[in-house]
Amino acid sequence: MDNHFLREQNTWDHLQVVERLATLRPTLPPERVALLDAFLVRAFQGFLARAWALPAEAAQRC
């Protein structure tokens, strides 16, 4: 599972998911908004915590 965060394309794929979920945010009840926000933060923490492992050129593109 750790390799999931190390492939550059996965970062871009995840960003597309985030963009899609963000469009749904205004339609969600408050408890779901809180859940969505927590998911987004935790997911990006995984990518950011491992960004050091990307090759420098890939990290600059992300």
Side-chain angles (χ1 to χ4, degrees):
M1 184 64 187
D2 285 340
N3 288 338
H4 170 75
F5 298 104
L6 300 179
R7 188 171 155 258
E8 179 185 356
Q9 186 58 46
N10 289 353
T11 302
W12 296 115
D13 292 345
H14 185 73
L15 184 57
Q16 286 183 318
V17 169
V18 167
E19 288 175 338
R20 175 66 176 127
L21 290 174
T23 66
L24 301 175
R25 195 173 189 274
T27 68
L28 298 174
E31 62 275 5
R32 292 295 183 178
V33 170
L35 183 63
L36 174 61
D37 290 346
F39 167 77
L40 297 176
V41 168
R42 293 296 298 204
F44 267 112
Q45 283 176 334
F47 286 101
L48 292 174
R50 294 164 183 87
W52 60 268
L54 286 172
E57 61 202 35
Q60 291 173 354
R61 287 190 298 269
C62 295

